[in-house]
Amino acid sequence: MRRTKVAAILKDTEYGKEVNIKGWVRTRRGNKFVNFIALNDGSSIHNLQIVADVSKFDESLIKRITTGSAISVVGTLSESAGGGQKVEVQANTIEILGDCNADEYPLQPKKHSLEFLREIAHLRFRTNTFGAITRVRHAMIFAVHKFFSEKGFYNIHTPIITASDAEGAGEMFRVTTMDVNNIPKTEEGKVDYSQDFFGKSTNLTVSGQLEGELAALAMSEIYTFGPTFRAENSNTARHLAEFWMIEPEMAFYDLNDNMDLAEEFTKYLLNYALENCSEDLEFLSNRQKEEEKNKKDEDRSMELIEKLKFVVDNDYVRLTYSEAIDILMNSKPHKKGKFQYPITGFGSDLQAEHERYLVEKHFKKPVILTDYPMSIKAFYMKQSEDGKTVRAMDVLFPQIGEIIGGSQREEDYNKLLERMRALDLPEEEMYWYLDTRRFGSVPHSGFGLGFERLMLFVTGMGNIRDVIPFPRTPKNAEF
Ligand code: ATP
Ligand code: MN
């Protein structure tokens, strides 16, 4: 007999037919006549109720049906008599696929803290919360590819190991096969990378952008969706050492086209979640309410589904960095000295606290900031006429702060070279990047969306460690 998944059974109304379900037991309760087993196989936030007439089964078999055990049930699909669910299955045969010793199993049928669940990340998929997050994460991955594919963008795999460290997006992880206890040295006493695997110093990539640009300047519109690595020692709830980034890169797009795409893309993803993940979002919404129930009203988040709809239905506010600085200089927290990093004027780097003030307190909407000072942005961003700013854009979301960073790219060979020299970047090593500006250069733009930042927003979770299966953070590479 073919197995049916729980999600499909829960929607089925062909009562009386025989079905086979396999899954993991969440709970078993009942009395000496009848037992109720809540079974979950990961396909739904809801469990399927299995009803077992105790007289039909060996007592020893029933005892082995404990929380965490895996079973296969053949039974009759029935309309449920009890409240809470529409259908249930009256068990005819039950087979134990895998026992689970209740005394040793860490996941008891009670509330566990998210911190505790991080320590048992190998088992946390079996909780409601991580089941929901895993399904939403999958839906978002799928929606990313669907969005771009329907627009005619090509997905490009950019290298994970790279010899270029010019991007400057963050501290890098070294990749080597050299014996760290016996590093080969040159005559001058420096590390001799010519003896390393690639014959030069290599790292894990912090971004696929530079290679993405090479593809865009032939394929017109491309995107990457891959892992990126940053040795961020910051230990915040918004930074991982290993995270997934989506980086579209488009020929013939100026900064406005770039902003339009970023807005359309993020709204598409949120809308996709609303349309395809409603049961999981409802669960996650209740989880967030429960978590925030002891907070003061003004500190509570907007209800999750309402929040997603609000973003989908409203235009993002677009303003320049300079306008944002004016707002911040006139803000209450600035005047009262409440910002941890004081704003001093044009040139100040915006921290999460400033971004969140603009989004959550001032505009109460997602914000796109443009035209940042050249001094605080990367070398490849297009220089403006004013000689002070670059055509950069950051998309800022409530609760998250920066969710997207992007820009129009400098297409002018001489200006790009001049900037690289000013920043002391190795122009000989970067010849391949410069070549695109020598051979048929065109205006082009792109951005990077941190996938886990998006996941934080969609799920309402507070810590980035809880929206990726196996988080990598300082002092933590377990599992
Ligand atoms: P932040 O200021 O928040 O550290 P950033 O300026 O370093 O971000 P970019 O280099 O522009 O970020 O990277 C593009 C996007 O990647 C960011 O907008 C963010 O969504 C995401 N991102 C950056 N660093 C991390 C990280 N350590 N963990 C998870 N996501 C990240
Ligand atoms: Mn950063």
Side-chain angles (χ1 to χ4, degrees), residues 230 232 238-240 243 245 402-405 448 450 453 464:
R230 296 186 187 178
E232 310 257 22
R238 309 177 313 123
H239 288 92
L240 291 164
F243 65 101
M245 187 143 64
E402 181 186 331
I403 191 164
I404 285 179
R453 299 253 173 111
I464 201 159

Side-chain angles (χ1 to χ4, degrees), residues 1-23 29 34-41 47-54 56-57 62 65 71-82 85-95:
M1 187 173 200
R2 269 192 73 168
R3 164 203 174 211
T4 314
K5 285 200 180 173
V6 167
I9 301 236
L10 290 173
K11 288 194 205 102
D12 205 332
T13 50
E14 249 185 82
Y15 305 126
K17 80 169 169 194
E18 194 164 71
V19 290
N20 173 215
I21 325 99
K22 296 177 183 179
R29 56 191 180 80
V34 60
N35 270 207
F36 301 97
I37 303 159
L39 198 64
N40 193 286
D41 64 0
N47 301 323
L48 176 65
Q49 172 155 290
I50 311 289
V51 184
D53 176 347
V54 174
K56 286 208 269 182
F57 301 94
I62 295 277
I65 305 173
I71 61 173
S72 171
V73 179
V74 175
T76 314
L77 186 67
S78 322
E79 195 163 5
S80 181
Q85 65 274 326
K86 255 175 70 186
V87 302
E88 61 190 24
V89 168
Q90 305 282 340
N92 298 325
T93 63
I94 300 177
E95 186 193 341

Side-chain angles (χ1 to χ4, degrees), residues 43-46 131-143 268-285 303-305 308 455 458-459:
S43 61
S44 171
I45 187 73
H46 301 298
I133 288 166
T134 304
R135 283 184 296 273
V136 173
R137 192 173 161 111
H138 167 79
M140 291 296 90
I141 294 167
F142 185 76
Y268 178 91
L269 295 176
L270 303 184
N271 202 43
Y272 190 90
L274 286 166
E275 283 179 0
N276 294 278
C277 308
S278 55
E279 289 185 343
D280 286 320
L281 291 183
E282 233 163 83
F283 170 83
L284 290 165
S285 165
E303 189 276 324
L304 182 63
I305 294 169
L308 299 181
M455 281 297 299
V458 175
T459 60

Side-chain angles (χ1 to χ4, degrees), residues 246-249 258 261-262 265 393 404-406 409 445-449:
I246 298 136
E247 296 181 276
E249 198 65 42
N258 203 18
L261 183 75
F265 178 46
M393 61 159 207
I404 285 179
R409 316 307 189 191
S445 298
F447 62 78
L449 168 76

Side-chain angles (χ1 to χ4, degrees), residues 22-28 37-41 47 62-72 95-110 112 122-123 125-127:
K22 296 177 183 179
W24 293 266
V25 173
R26 286 292 174 83
T27 56
R28 176 172 61 83
I37 303 159
L39 198 64
N40 193 286
D41 64 0
N47 301 323
I62 295 277
K63 276 202 182 133
R64 287 167 66 195
I65 305 173
T66 54
T67 295
S69 62
I71 61 173
S72 171
E95 186 193 341
I96 308 278
L97 300 175
D99 286 290
C100 181
N101 184 332
D103 296 332
E104 291 170 12
Y105 190 51
L107 273 178
Q108 298 304 314
K110 61 158 196 169
H112 292 291
H122 58 304
L123 296 170
F125 291 110
R126 297 180 180 202
T127 63

